Amino acid sequence: MRTAGTLGKRIKALRKKERLTQADLAKELGVSPSAVGMYEQDRRVPDNKTLLTICNVFGVTSDYLLGHMEDPEDVSDVLDTFNKRLMEHDALMFDGKPLTDEERQQVFNTIDYVARLAERLDYED
């Protein structure tokens, strides 16, 4: 998801990505649907509490919403891309030694295990 631009454009893009209506998001935020529309049109700026709620609803940072950083990228998406390339690459090497199909699968399984472990630890906090 490439979203340049304003706070409003980022809110709208996140809302659409999650397939939420303005009314759905308004309910989550405790504001009116017209307030969400005004946020998305950059005609109104959410207060700090609402901004933090938007961050929580979409799982992004305020730095992202305010344009101080690029689009967030989910680690699972990065790992999926990496694992796909890992499994498709026939001439993959580790320390100069070609990996067998079984070794590539072991690398894939290890990365998948660590990602799932990290996800579980995050939820336990």
Side-chain angles (χ1 to χ4, degrees):
M1 175 176 85
R2 292 284 317 139
T3 310
T6 66
L7 170 64
K9 286 181 182 178
R10 288 177 182 233
I11 293 170
K12 184 175 184 177
L14 289 166
R15 178 180 61 77
K16 288 185 172 239
K17 180 182 176 198
E18 295 298 319
R19 294 188 170 106
L20 296 174
T21 65
Q22 286 182 345
D24 294 333
L25 181 56
K27 186 175 179 180
E28 292 277 337
L29 302 178
V31 299
S32 69
S34 65
V36 171
M38 289 172 52
Y39 299 154
E40 292 181 357
Q41 296 169 29
D42 291 310
R43 293 175 43 199
R44 185 171 164 189
V45 177
D47 61 31
N48 289 342
K49 181 181 175 190
T50 304
L51 185 69
L52 290 175
T53 304
I54 293 169
C55 292
N56 289 332
V57 166
F58 295 120
V60 297
T61 65
S62 57
D63 278 344
Y64 166 72
L65 275 182
L66 297 172
H68 299 299
M69 63 178 282
E70 289 299 313
D71 294 344
E73 197 165 8
D74 195 299
V75 170
S76 63
D77 292 340
V78 173
L79 292 175
D80 286 345
T81 300
F82 175 78
N83 282 335
K84 182 178 178 185
R85 290 190 63 209
L86 178 70
M87 295 311 292
E88 291 175 348
H89 203 290
D90 291 333
L92 200 60
M93 299 174 85
F94 187 81
D95 284 338
K97 178 185 170 215
L99 294 177
T100 65
D101 289 344
E102 182 180 322
E103 290 168 332
R104 283 197 330 241
Q105 185 64 49
Q106 288 174 340
V107 171
F108 173 91
N109 292 344
T110 301
I111 291 169
D112 188 57
Y113 173 77
V114 170
R116 292 183 193 286
L117 180 62
E119 186 177 77
R120 277 199 344 241
L121 291 174
D122 185 43
Y123 289 120
E124 291 174 3
D125 286 343

Coordinates of all heavy atoms in Angstrom, one line a residue, residues 29-119:
L29 N -14.3 5.3 16.5 CA -13.6 6.5 17.1 C -14.5 7.2 18.0 O -14.0 8.1 18.7 CB -13.2 7.4 15.9 CG -12.2 6.8 14.9 CD1 -11.9 7.8 13.8 CD2 -10.9 6.3 15.5
G30 N -15.8 7.0 18.0 CA -16.7 7.7 18.9 C -16.9 9.1 18.4 O -17.1 10.1 19.1
V31 N -16.9 9.2 17.0 CA -17.2 10.5 16.4 C -18.3 10.3 15.3 O -18.7 9.2 15.1 CB -15.9 11.1 15.7 CG1 -14.9 11.4 16.8 CG2 -15.4 10.3 14.6
S32 N -18.7 11.4 14.7 CA -19.8 11.2 13.7 C -19.1 10.9 12.3 O -17.9 11.1 12.1 CB -20.5 12.6 13.5 OG -19.6 13.5 13.0
P33 N -19.9 10.2 11.5 CA -19.4 9.9 10.1 C -18.9 11.2 9.4 O -18.0 11.1 8.6 CB -20.6 9.2 9.4 CG -21.4 8.7 10.5 CD -21.2 9.6 11.7
S34 N -19.6 12.3 9.6 CA -19.2 13.5 8.9 C -17.8 14.0 9.4 O -17.1 14.5 8.7 CB -20.3 14.6 9.1 OG -20.4 15.0 10.4
A35 N -17.5 13.7 10.7 CA -16.2 14.1 11.2 C -15.1 13.3 10.5 O -14.1 13.8 10.1 CB -16.1 13.8 12.7
V36 N -15.4 12.0 10.3 CA -14.4 11.1 9.6 C -14.3 11.7 8.1 O -13.1 11.8 7.6 CB -14.9 9.6 9.5 CG1 -14.0 8.8 8.6 CG2 -14.9 9.1 10.9
G37 N -15.4 12.0 7.5 CA -15.3 12.6 6.2 C -14.5 13.9 6.1 O -13.6 14.1 5.2
M38 N -14.6 14.7 7.2 CA -13.8 15.9 7.2 C -12.4 15.6 7.5 O -11.5 16.3 6.9 CB -14.4 16.9 8.3 CG -15.8 17.4 7.8 SD -16.7 18.4 8.9 CE -15.7 19.6 9.6
Y39 N -12.0 14.6 8.3 CA -10.6 14.2 8.5 C -10.0 13.8 7.2 O -8.9 14.2 6.8 CB -10.5 13.0 9.4 CG -11.0 13.2 10.9 CD1 -11.4 12.1 11.6 CD2 -11.0 14.5 11.5 CE1 -11.9 12.2 12.9 CE2 -11.5 14.6 12.8 CZ -11.9 13.5 13.5 OH -12.3 13.6 14.8
E40 N -10.8 13.0 6.4 CA -10.3 12.5 5.1 C -10.1 13.5 4.1 O -9.3 13.4 3.2 CB -11.2 11.4 4.6 CG -11.2 10.1 5.5 CD -12.0 9.0 5.0 OE1 -12.8 9.2 4.0 OE2 -12.0 7.9 5.6
Q41 N -10.9 14.6 4.2 CA -10.8 15.7 3.3 C -9.8 16.8 3.8 O -9.6 17.9 3.1 CB -12.1 16.4 3.0 CG -13.1 15.4 2.4 CD -14.5 16.0 2.4 OE1 -14.7 17.2 2.4 NE2 -15.5 15.1 2.4
D42 N -9.2 16.5 4.9 CA -8.2 17.5 5.5 C -8.9 18.8 5.8 O -8.3 19.9 5.8 CB -7.0 17.7 4.6 CG -6.1 16.5 4.6 OD1 -5.8 16.0 5.7 OD2 -5.8 16.1 3.5
R43 N -10.2 18.8 6.1 CA -10.9 20.0 6.5 C -11.0 20.1 8.0 O -11.4 21.1 8.6 CB -12.3 19.9 5.9 CG -12.3 20.1 4.4 CD -13.7 20.0 3.7 NE -14.7 20.7 4.4 CZ -16.0 20.4 4.3 NH1 -16.4 19.5 3.4 NH2 -16.9 21.1 4.9
R44 N -10.6 19.0 8.7 CA -10.6 19.0 10.2 C -9.5 18.0 10.6 O -9.2 17.0 9.9 CB -12.0 18.5 10.6 CG -12.2 18.5 12.1 CD -13.6 18.2 12.4 NE -13.8 17.9 13.8 CZ -14.9 17.4 14.3 NH1 -16.0 17.2 13.6 NH2 -15.0 17.1 15.6
V45 N -8.8 18.3 11.7 CA -7.8 17.5 12.2 C -8.3 16.8 13.5 O -8.8 17.5 14.4 CB -6.5 18.3 12.5 CG1 -5.4 17.4 13.2 CG2 -6.0 19.0 11.3
P46 N -8.1 15.5 13.6 CA -8.5 14.8 14.9 C -7.7 15.3 16.1 O -6.5 15.6 15.9 CB -8.3 13.3 14.6 CG -7.4 13.3 13.4 CD -7.5 14.6 12.7
D47 N -8.4 15.3 17.2 CA -7.6 15.7 18.4 C -6.7 14.5 18.8 O -6.7 13.4 18.2 CB -8.6 16.0 19.6 CG -9.5 14.8 20.0 OD1 -9.1 13.6 19.9 OD2 -10.6 15.1 20.5
N48 N -5.8 14.7 19.7 CA -4.8 13.7 20.1 C -5.4 12.4 20.5 O -4.9 11.3 20.0 CB -3.9 14.2 21.2 CG -2.9 15.3 20.7 OD1 -2.7 15.5 19.5 ND2 -2.4 16.1 21.6
K49 N -6.4 12.4 21.3 CA -7.0 11.1 21.7 C -7.6 10.4 20.5 O -7.4 9.2 20.4 CB -8.1 11.4 22.7 CG -8.8 10.2 23.2 CD -9.9 10.5 24.2 CE -10.7 9.3 24.6 NZ -11.9 9.6 25.3
T50 N -8.3 11.1 19.6 CA -8.8 10.4 18.4 C -7.7 9.9 17.5 O -7.8 8.9 16.9 CB -9.8 11.4 17.7 OG1 -10.8 11.8 18.6 CG2 -10.4 10.7 16.5
L51 N -6.6 10.7 17.4 CA -5.5 10.3 16.5 C -4.9 9.0 17.1 O -4.6 8.1 16.3 CB -4.4 11.4 16.5 CG -3.2 11.2 15.6 CD1 -3.7 11.2 14.1 CD2 -2.2 12.2 15.9
L52 N -4.8 8.9 18.4 CA -4.2 7.7 18.9 C -5.2 6.5 18.7 O -4.8 5.4 18.5 CB -3.9 7.9 20.4 CG -2.7 8.8 20.7 CD1 -2.6 9.0 22.2 CD2 -1.5 8.2 20.2
T53 N -6.5 6.8 18.8 CA -7.5 5.7 18.6 C -7.4 5.2 17.1 O -7.4 4.0 16.8 CB -8.9 6.2 18.9 OG1 -8.9 6.7 20.2 CG2 -9.9 5.1 18.7
I54 N -7.2 6.2 16.2 CA -7.0 5.8 14.8 C -5.8 4.9 14.6 O -5.8 3.9 13.9 CB -6.9 7.1 13.9 CG1 -8.2 7.9 13.9 CG2 -6.5 6.7 12.4 CD1 -8.1 9.3 13.2
C55 N -4.7 5.3 15.3 CA -3.5 4.5 15.2 C -3.8 3.1 15.7 O -3.3 2.1 15.1 CB -2.4 5.1 16.1 SG -1.7 6.6 15.4
N56 N -4.5 2.9 16.8 CA -4.8 1.6 17.4 C -5.7 0.8 16.5 O -5.6 -0.4 16.3 CB -5.4 1.8 18.8 CG -4.4 2.2 19.8 OD1 -3.2 2.0 19.7 ND2 -4.9 2.9 20.8
V57 N -6.7 1.5 15.9 CA -7.7 0.8 15.0 C -6.9 0.2 13.8 O -7.2 -1.0 13.4 CB -8.8 1.8 14.5 CG1 -9.6 1.2 13.4 CG2 -9.7 2.1 15.7
F58 N -6.0 0.9 13.2 CA -5.3 0.5 12.0 C -3.9 -0.2 12.3 O -3.3 -0.7 11.4 CB -5.2 1.6 11.0 CG -6.5 2.1 10.5 CD1 -6.9 3.4 10.7 CD2 -7.4 1.2 9.9 CE1 -8.1 3.9 10.3 CE2 -8.6 1.7 9.4 CZ -9.0 3.0 9.6
G59 N -3.5 -0.1 13.5 CA -2.2 -0.7 13.9 C -1.0 0.0 13.2 O -0.1 -0.7 12.7
V60 N -1.1 1.3 13.2 CA 0.0 2.1 12.7 C 0.5 3.1 13.7 O -0.2 3.3 14.7 CB -0.4 2.9 11.4 CG1 -0.8 1.9 10.3 CG2 -1.6 3.8 11.6
T61 N 1.6 3.7 13.5 CA 2.1 4.8 14.4 C 1.6 6.1 14.0 O 1.2 6.4 12.9 CB 3.6 4.8 14.4 OG1 4.1 5.2 13.1 CG2 4.2 3.4 14.7
S62 N 1.6 7.0 15.0 CA 1.3 8.4 14.7 C 2.3 9.0 13.7 O 1.9 9.9 12.9 CB 1.2 9.3 15.9 OG 2.4 9.2 16.6
D63 N 3.5 8.6 13.8 CA 4.5 9.1 12.8 C 4.1 8.8 11.4 O 4.3 9.6 10.5 CB 5.9 8.5 13.1 CG 6.7 9.2 14.2 OD1 6.3 10.4 14.5 OD2 7.6 8.7 14.7
Y64 N 3.6 7.6 11.2 CA 3.1 7.2 9.8 C 1.9 8.1 9.4 O 1.9 8.7 8.4 CB 2.7 5.7 9.8 CG 1.9 5.5 8.5 CD1 2.5 5.5 7.3 CD2 0.5 5.3 8.5 CE1 1.8 5.3 6.1 CE2 -0.2 5.1 7.4 CZ 0.5 5.1 6.2 OH -0.3 5.0 5.0
L65 N 0.9 8.2 10.3 CA -0.3 9.0 10.0 C 0.1 10.4 9.7 O -0.5 11.0 8.8 CB -1.3 8.9 11.1 CG -2.2 7.7 11.2 CD1 -3.2 7.9 12.3 CD2 -3.0 7.5 9.9
L66 N 1.0 11.0 10.4 CA 1.4 12.4 10.2 C 2.4 12.6 9.1 O 2.8 13.7 8.8 CB 1.9 12.9 11.5 CG 0.8 12.9 12.7 CD1 1.5 13.3 14.0 CD2 -0.3 13.8 12.3
G67 N 2.8 11.5 8.4 CA 3.7 11.7 7.3 C 5.1 11.7 7.6 O 5.9 12.1 6.7
H68 N 5.5 11.3 8.8 CA 6.9 11.4 9.2 C 7.7 10.1 8.8 O 8.9 10.1 9.0 CB 7.1 11.6 10.7 CG 6.5 12.9 11.2 ND1 6.9 14.1 10.7 CD2 5.5 13.1 12.0 CE1 6.2 15.1 11.3 NE2 5.3 14.5 12.1
M69 N 7.0 9.1 8.3 CA 7.6 7.9 7.9 C 6.8 7.3 6.7 O 5.7 7.6 6.5 CB 7.8 6.9 9.0 CG 6.5 6.4 9.6 SD 6.7 5.2 10.9 CE 7.1 3.7 10.0
E70 N 7.5 6.4 6.0 CA 6.8 5.7 4.9 C 5.8 4.7 5.4 O 5.6 4.5 6.6 CB 7.9 5.0 4.0 CG 8.8 5.9 3.3 CD 8.0 6.8 2.3 OE1 7.2 6.3 1.5 OE2 8.3 8.0 2.3
D71 N 5.1 4.1 4.4 CA 4.1 3.1 4.7 C 4.6 2.0 5.6 O 5.7 1.5 5.4 CB 3.6 2.5 3.4 CG 2.9 3.5 2.5 OD1 2.5 4.6 3.0 OD2 2.7 3.2 1.3
P72 N 3.8 1.7 6.6 CA 4.2 0.5 7.4 C 4.1 -0.8 6.6 O 3.3 -0.9 5.7 CB 3.1 0.5 8.5 CG 1.9 1.2 7.9 CD 2.5 2.2 6.9
E73 N 5.0 -1.7 7.0 CA 5.0 -3.0 6.3 C 4.9 -4.0 7.4 O 5.7 -4.0 8.3 CB 6.3 -3.1 5.5 CG 6.2 -4.2 4.5 CD 7.3 -4.0 3.4 OE1 8.2 -3.2 3.6 OE2 7.3 -4.8 2.5
D74 N 4.0 -4.9 7.2 CA 3.8 -6.0 8.2 C 5.0 -7.0 8.0 O 5.3 -7.4 6.9 CB 2.5 -6.7 7.9 CG 2.1 -7.6 9.1 OD1 2.8 -8.5 9.4 OD2 1.0 -7.3 9.7
V75 N 5.5 -7.4 9.1 CA 6.6 -8.4 9.1 C 6.2 -9.7 8.4 O 7.0 -10.3 7.7 CB 7.2 -8.7 10.5 CG1 8.1 -9.8 10.5 CG2 7.8 -7.4 11.1
S76 N 5.0 -10.1 8.6 CA 4.5 -11.3 8.0 C 4.6 -11.2 6.5 O 4.9 -12.2 5.8 CB 3.2 -11.8 8.5 OG 2.2 -10.8 8.2
D77 N 4.2 -10.0 5.9 CA 4.3 -9.9 4.5 C 5.7 -9.9 4.0 O 6.0 -10.5 2.9 CB 3.7 -8.5 4.1 CG 2.2 -8.4 4.3 OD1 1.6 -9.5 4.4 OD2 1.7 -7.3 4.4
V78 N 6.7 -9.3 4.7 CA 8.1 -9.4 4.3 C 8.6 -10.8 4.4 O 9.2 -11.3 3.4 CB 8.9 -8.5 5.3 CG1 10.4 -8.7 5.0 CG2 8.5 -7.0 5.2
L79 N 8.2 -11.6 5.4 CA 8.6 -13.0 5.5 C 8.0 -13.8 4.5 O 8.7 -14.7 3.9 CB 8.3 -13.5 6.9 CG 9.1 -12.9 8.1 CD1 8.7 -13.4 9.4 CD2 10.6 -13.2 7.9
D80 N 6.7 -13.6 4.1 CA 6.1 -14.3 3.1 C 6.8 -14.1 1.7 O 7.1 -15.1 1.0 CB 4.6 -13.9 2.9 CG 3.8 -14.5 4.0 OD1 4.2 -15.4 4.8 OD2 2.6 -13.9 4.1
T81 N 7.2 -12.9 1.4 CA 7.9 -12.6 0.2 C 9.3 -13.3 0.2 O 9.7 -13.9 -0.7 CB 8.1 -11.1 0.0 OG1 6.8 -10.5 0.0 CG2 8.9 -10.7 -1.2
F82 N 10.0 -13.1 1.4 CA 11.3 -13.8 1.5 C 11.2 -15.3 1.3 O 12.0 -15.9 0.6 CB 11.9 -13.4 2.9 CG 13.2 -14.1 3.1 CD1 14.4 -13.7 2.5 CD2 13.3 -15.2 3.9 CE1 15.6 -14.3 2.7 CE2 14.5 -15.9 4.1 CZ 15.7 -15.4 3.5
N83 N 10.3 -15.9 2.0 CA 10.1 -17.3 1.9 C 9.8 -17.8 0.5 O 10.3 -18.8 0.1 CB 9.1 -17.8 3.0 CG 9.7 -17.9 4.4 OD1 10.9 -18.0 4.5 ND2 8.8 -17.8 5.3
K84 N 9.0 -17.1 -0.2 CA 8.6 -17.4 -1.5 C 9.9 -17.4 -2.4 O 10.1 -18.3 -3.2 CB 7.5 -16.4 -2.1 CG 7.1 -16.8 -3.5 CD 6.0 -15.8 -3.9 CE 5.6 -16.1 -5.4 NZ 4.7 -15.2 -5.9
R85 N 10.6 -16.3 -2.3 CA 11.9 -16.2 -3.1 C 12.8 -17.3 -2.7 O 13.5 -17.9 -3.5 CB 12.5 -14.8 -2.9 CG 11.7 -13.7 -3.6 CD 12.4 -12.4 -3.6 NE 13.6 -12.5 -4.4 CZ 14.6 -11.8 -4.2 NH1 14.7 -10.9 -3.2 NH2 15.7 -11.9 -5.0
L86 N 12.9 -17.6 -1.4 CA 13.8 -18.7 -0.9 C 13.5 -20.0 -1.5 O 14.4 -20.7 -2.0 CB 13.7 -18.8 0.6 CG 14.5 -19.8 1.3 CD1 16.0 -19.5 1.3 CD2 14.0 -19.9 2.8
M87 N 12.2 -20.3 -1.6 CA 11.8 -21.6 -2.1 C 11.9 -21.7 -3.6 O 12.0 -22.8 -4.2 CB 10.4 -22.0 -1.7 CG 10.2 -22.1 -0.1 SD 11.5 -23.2 0.6 CE 11.0 -24.8 -0.1
E88 N 11.8 -20.5 -4.3 CA 11.8 -20.5 -5.8 C 13.3 -20.5 -6.3 O 13.5 -20.7 -7.5 CB 11.0 -19.3 -6.3 CG 9.6 -19.5 -6.1 CD 8.8 -18.2 -6.5 OE1 9.4 -17.2 -6.8 OE2 7.6 -18.3 -6.6
H89 N 14.2 -20.1 -5.5 CA 15.6 -19.8 -6.0 C 16.4 -21.1 -5.9 O 16.6 -21.7 -4.9 CB 16.3 -18.8 -5.0 CG 17.4 -18.1 -5.7 ND1 18.6 -18.7 -6.0 CD2 17.5 -16.8 -6.1 CE1 19.4 -17.9 -6.5 NE2 18.8 -16.7 -6.6
D90 N 16.8 -21.6 -7.1 CA 17.4 -22.9 -7.2 C 18.9 -22.9 -6.8 O 19.4 -23.9 -6.3 CB 17.4 -23.4 -8.7 CG 15.9 -23.8 -9.1 OD1 15.2 -24.2 -8.1 OD2 15.6 -23.7 -10.2
A91 N 19.6 -21.8 -7.0 CA 21.0 -21.7 -6.8 C 21.4 -20.9 -5.5 O 22.3 -20.1 -5.5 CB 21.7 -21.1 -8.0
L92 N 20.6 -21.1 -4.5 CA 20.8 -20.4 -3.2 C 22.0 -21.0 -2.5 O 22.2 -22.2 -2.4 CB 19.6 -20.5 -2.4 CG 19.4 -19.4 -1.3 CD1 19.4 -18.0 -1.9 CD2 18.1 -19.7 -0.6
M93 N 22.8 -20.1 -1.9 CA 24.0 -20.6 -1.2 C 24.0 -20.0 0.2 O 23.4 -18.9 0.5 CB 25.3 -20.1 -1.9 CG 25.4 -20.7 -3.3 SD 26.8 -20.1 -4.2 CE 28.1 -21.2 -3.6
F94 N 24.7 -20.7 1.1 CA 24.9 -20.2 2.5 C 26.4 -20.4 2.8 O 26.9 -21.5 2.7 CB 24.1 -21.0 3.5 CG 24.1 -20.4 4.9 CD1 23.4 -19.3 5.2 CD2 25.0 -20.9 5.8 CE1 23.4 -18.8 6.5 CE2 25.1 -20.4 7.1 CZ 24.3 -19.3 7.4
D95 N 27.1 -19.3 3.0 CA 28.6 -19.3 3.2 C 29.3 -20.0 2.1 O 30.2 -20.7 2.3 CB 28.9 -20.0 4.6 CG 28.7 -19.1 5.8 OD1 28.6 -17.8 5.6 OD2 28.5 -19.6 6.9
G96 N 28.8 -19.7 0.9 CA 29.5 -20.3 -0.3 C 29.1 -21.7 -0.6 O 29.6 -22.3 -1.6
K97 N 28.3 -22.3 0.2 CA 27.8 -23.7 -0.1 C 26.4 -23.7 -0.6 O 25.5 -23.2 0.1 CB 28.0 -24.5 1.2 CG 27.5 -25.9 1.1 CD 27.6 -26.6 2.5 CE 26.9 -28.0 2.3 NZ 26.2 -28.3 3.5
P98 N 26.2 -24.4 -1.7 CA 24.8 -24.5 -2.2 C 23.9 -25.2 -1.2 O 24.3 -26.2 -0.6 CB 24.9 -25.3 -3.5 CG 26.3 -25.2 -3.9 CD 27.1 -25.1 -2.6
L99 N 22.6 -24.6 -1.1 CA 21.7 -25.3 -0.2 C 20.8 -26.3 -1.0 O 20.4 -26.1 -2.1 CB 20.7 -24.2 0.4 CG 21.3 -23.2 1.3 CD1 20.2 -22.2 1.7 CD2 21.8 -23.9 2.6
T100 N 20.6 -27.4 -0.3 CA 19.7 -28.4 -0.9 C 18.2 -28.0 -0.7 O 18.0 -27.0 0.1 CB 19.9 -29.8 -0.2 OG1 19.5 -29.7 1.1 CG2 21.3 -30.2 -0.3
D101 N 17.3 -28.6 -1.4 CA 15.9 -28.3 -1.2 C 15.5 -28.5 0.3 O 14.8 -27.7 0.8 CB 15.0 -29.2 -2.1 CG 15.1 -28.8 -3.5 OD1 15.6 -27.7 -3.9 OD2 14.7 -29.7 -4.4
E102 N 16.0 -29.5 0.9 CA 15.7 -29.8 2.3 C 16.3 -28.7 3.2 O 15.6 -28.2 4.1 CB 16.3 -31.1 2.7 CG 16.0 -31.5 4.2 CD 16.6 -32.8 4.6 OE1 16.6 -33.8 3.7 OE2 17.0 -33.0 5.7
E103 N 17.5 -28.2 2.9 CA 18.1 -27.1 3.7 C 17.3 -25.8 3.5 O 17.1 -25.1 4.5 CB 19.5 -26.9 3.4 CG 20.4 -28.1 3.8 CD 21.8 -28.1 3.2 OE1 22.0 -27.5 2.1 OE2 22.7 -28.6 3.9
R104 N 16.9 -25.5 2.3 CA 16.0 -24.3 2.1 C 14.7 -24.4 2.9 O 14.3 -23.5 3.5 CB 15.7 -24.2 0.6 CG 16.9 -23.6 -0.2 CD 16.5 -23.1 -1.6 NE 15.4 -23.7 -2.2 CZ 15.5 -24.3 -3.4 NH1 16.6 -24.4 -4.0 NH2 14.4 -24.8 -3.9
Q105 N 14.1 -25.6 2.9 CA 12.9 -25.8 3.7 C 13.2 -25.6 5.1 O 12.3 -25.1 5.8 CB 12.3 -27.2 3.4 CG 11.0 -27.5 4.0 CD 9.9 -26.5 3.5 OE1 9.7 -26.4 2.3 NE2 9.2 -25.9 4.4
Q106 N 14.3 -26.1 5.6 CA 14.7 -25.9 7.1 C 14.8 -24.4 7.4 O 14.3 -24.0 8.4 CB 15.9 -26.6 7.4 CG 15.8 -28.1 7.5 CD 17.1 -28.9 7.7 OE1 18.2 -28.3 7.4 NE2 17.0 -30.1 8.1
V107 N 15.4 -23.6 6.5 CA 15.5 -22.2 6.7 C 14.2 -21.6 6.7 O 13.8 -20.8 7.6 CB 16.4 -21.6 5.6 CG1 16.4 -20.0 5.7 CG2 17.9 -22.0 5.7
F108 N 13.3 -22.0 5.8 CA 11.9 -21.5 5.7 C 11.2 -21.8 7.0 O 10.6 -20.9 7.6 CB 11.2 -22.1 4.5 CG 9.7 -21.8 4.5 CD1 9.3 -20.7 3.7 CD2 8.8 -22.6 5.1 CE1 7.9 -20.5 3.7 CE2 7.5 -22.3 5.1 CZ 7.0 -21.3 4.3
N109 N 11.3 -23.0 7.5 CA 10.6 -23.4 8.7 C 11.1 -22.6 9.9 O 10.4 -22.3 10.8 CB 10.8 -24.9 9.0 CG 10.0 -25.7 7.9 OD1 9.2 -25.2 7.2 ND2 10.4 -27.0 7.8
T110 N 12.4 -22.4 10.0 CA 13.0 -21.7 11.1 C 12.5 -20.2 11.1 O 12.1 -19.7 12.2 CB 14.6 -21.7 11.0 OG1 15.0 -23.1 11.0 CG2 15.2 -21.0 12.2
I111 N 12.5 -19.6 10.0 CA 12.0 -18.2 9.9 C 10.6 -18.1 10.3 O 10.1 -17.3 11.1 CB 12.3 -17.6 8.5 CG1 13.8 -17.4 8.3 CG2 11.6 -16.3 8.3 CD1 14.2 -17.1 6.9
D112 N 9.8 -19.1 9.8 CA 8.4 -19.1 10.1 C 8.2 -19.3 11.6 O 7.3 -18.6 12.2 CB 7.7 -20.2 9.3 CG 6.2 -20.2 9.4 OD1 5.6 -19.2 9.1 OD2 5.6 -21.2 9.9
Y113 N 8.9 -20.2 12.2 CA 8.8 -20.5 13.7 C 9.2 -19.2 14.5 O 8.4 -18.8 15.4 CB 9.8 -21.6 14.1 CG 9.8 -21.8 15.6 CD1 8.8 -22.4 16.2 CD2 10.9 -21.3 16.3 CE1 8.8 -22.6 17.6 CE2 11.0 -21.5 17.7 CZ 9.9 -22.1 18.3 OH 10.0 -22.3 19.7
V114 N 10.2 -18.5 14.1 CA 10.6 -17.3 14.8 C 9.6 -16.2 14.7 O 9.2 -15.5 15.7 CB 12.0 -16.8 14.4 CG1 12.4 -15.5 14.9 CG2 13.1 -17.8 14.8
A115 N 9.0 -16.1 13.5 CA 8.0 -15.1 13.3 C 6.8 -15.4 14.1 O 6.2 -14.5 14.8 CB 7.6 -15.0 11.8
R116 N 6.4 -16.6 14.2 CA 5.2 -17.0 15.0 C 5.5 -16.8 16.5 O 4.6 -16.4 17.3 CB 4.7 -18.4 14.7 CG 4.2 -18.5 13.3 CD 3.7 -19.9 13.0 NE 3.4 -20.0 11.6 CZ 2.4 -19.5 10.9 NH1 1.5 -18.8 11.6 NH2 2.2 -19.7 9.6
L117 N 6.7 -17.1 16.9 CA 7.1 -17.0 18.3 C 7.0 -15.5 18.7 O 6.5 -15.1 19.7 CB 8.5 -17.5 18.5 CG 9.0 -17.4 20.0 CD1 8.2 -18.2 20.9 CD2 10.5 -17.9 20.0
A118 N 7.6 -14.6 17.8 CA 7.6 -13.2 18.1 C 6.1 -12.7 18.1 O 5.8 -11.8 19.0 CB 8.4 -12.5 17.0
E119 N 5.3 -13.2 17.3 CA 3.9 -12.7 17.3 C 3.2 -13.1 18.6 O 2.5 -12.3 19.2 CB 3.1 -13.4 16.1 CG 1.7 -12.9 16.0 CD 1.1 -13.5 14.7 OE1 0.7 -14.7 14.8 OE2 1.0 -12.9 13.7

